[in-house]
Each structure stands twice: as structure tokens, then as C-alpha cells.
């Protein structure tokens, strides 16, 4: 079905019945990461510190992130992050959940996640947890235009 979405019409002409069933998927082809329905946009919206202020909101983030927690937990049954790097990257902000420790202080979770950036893994963890706040530190981005109206940049000061 992937060739049905490609600009090359050869596949579509050879498989019109097959491709017609995938017309609705065209919206996903080339969808930018900033599209509100993209996985990355949903994760950034539901798993930033402002969105993790109640048990209900933490639960929403956990549900969204559940399929990708294998990217961060390092257990023996973890997914192979090297094989799934692009897939895991869209869930980067989910790593904040590892630092919540049943507390409702997401700002402290960011500080904990970034407490040791001297190792490559520590730096990657901090980068992942800081992912929702890139618009706070990158002059080329605007948090409101990125759909992050409720983002509290002050929660991510350690990231800058």
C-alpha cells in the first residue's frame, strides 16, 4: 500500500482496486510532525509539564506513551531502540513519566531527568524530557504556533 501514496502513478495504475482502499491514508503521507494529529504532537501536548498536573492527565500521557515505554526502560524485554530510532523519537517526551515517581511535580521530574548530563545516556534522557519545550529555547519556533499554548517554559529552565 505504500506505493499507493507515492507520487509515482505506475503503482496506482497497476493496482487501482488495491490503492482505492487507501485513499483516506493520503492525509498521513508527508504529514509534518507539527500536525496536531501526529503522534509526536500528541505526545508533546499531553506529556509536557503543564499537562501532567493531575492524575487524570498523567493517565492520558501514560496511555499515549504505553506502546513506546520500551524505548526508555532498558529492560530485557525492551524494544531495540537502534532498530526503532525514528519511531521512538516521536515518543521522546514520554520519558518524563520515568521521573514522575507517583508525584505530581512534573517540573521536579524534568530537573531529576537532567541532573546528570555528563554521560551520553544522561544527555539523551535530558534531551528527551526537554523535547516539549524546544520552542522555549529556539528562536525560530513559536510555542503557540506549535500548539503548545499551555506550556510553562519556566518548568524547563534546566533544559536551556
Amino acid at each position: 500500500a505504500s506505493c499507493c501514496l507515492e507520487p509515482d502513478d505506475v503503482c496506482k495504475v497497476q493496482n487501482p482496486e488495491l490503492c482505492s482502499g487507501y485513499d483516506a491514508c493520503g492525509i498521513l503521507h508527508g504529514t509534518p510532525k507539527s500536525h496536531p494529529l501526529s503522534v509526536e504532537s500528541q505526545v508533546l501536548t499531553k506529556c509536557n509539564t503543564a499537562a501532567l498536573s493531575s492524575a487524570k492527565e498523567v493517565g492520558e500521557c501514560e496511555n499515549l506513551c504505553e506502546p513506546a515505554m520500551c524505548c526508555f526502560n532498558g529492560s530485557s524485554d525492551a524494544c531495540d531502540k537502534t532498530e526503532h530510532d525514528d519511531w521512538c523519537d516521536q515518543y521522546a517526551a514520554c520519558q518524563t513519566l520515568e521521573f514522575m515517581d507517583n508525584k505530581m511535580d512534573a517540573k521536579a521530574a524534568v530537573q531529576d531527568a537532567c541532573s546528570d548530563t555528563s554521560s551520553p545516556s544522561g544527555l539523551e534522557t535530558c534531551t528527551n524530557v526537554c523535547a516539549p519545550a524546544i520552542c522555549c529555547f529556539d528562536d525560530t519556533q513559536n510555542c503557540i504556533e506549535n500548539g503548545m499554548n499551555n506550556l510553562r517554559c519556566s518548568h524547563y529552565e534546566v533544559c536551556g
Side-chain angles (χ1 to χ4, degrees), residues 32-52 57 60-62 64-65 72 88-97 106 110 126-136 141-143 145-152 156:
K33 292 179 180 180
S34 62
H35 189 281
L37 297 179
S38 75
V39 171
E40 186 171 9
S41 288
Q42 291 180 52
V43 169
L44 293 175
T45 302
K46 292 192 182 288
C47 300
N48 71 69
T49 58
L52 297 174
E57 291 168 322
E60 289 175 2
C61 176
E62 287 173 338
L64 183 62
C65 293
F72 315 112
C88 287
D89 287 349
Q90 64 187 344
Y91 288 95
C94 295
Q95 197 161 8
T96 306
L97 293 170
V110 173
C126 182
T127 301
N128 287 344
V129 170
C130 292
I134 190 72
C135 61
C136 297
Q141 296 193 30
N142 180 307
C143 293
E145 287 176 7
N146 289 351
M148 304 297 286
N149 310 16
N150 67 343
L151 187 70
R152 294 188 187 127
Y156 293 92

Side-chain angles (χ1 to χ4, degrees), residues 49-114:
T49 58
L52 297 174
S53 59
S54 73
K56 179 183 180 228
E57 291 168 322
V58 169
E60 289 175 2
C61 176
E62 287 173 338
N63 288 338
L64 183 62
C65 293
E66 192 274 326
M69 291 311 289
C70 64
C71 297
F72 315 112
N73 65 17
S75 69
S76 59
D77 63 336
C79 55
D80 183 357
K81 187 172 180 335
T82 56
E83 277 188 32
H84 302 96
D85 217 19
D86 289 338
W87 184 77
C88 287
D89 287 349
Q90 64 187 344
Y91 288 95
C94 295
Q95 197 161 8
T96 306
L97 293 170
E98 287 188 339
F99 296 91
M100 292 292 287
D101 295 330
N102 296 322
K103 57 188 172 195
M104 297 311 302
D105 188 356
K107 181 179 179 180
V110 173
Q111 291 170 338
D112 289 350
C114 294

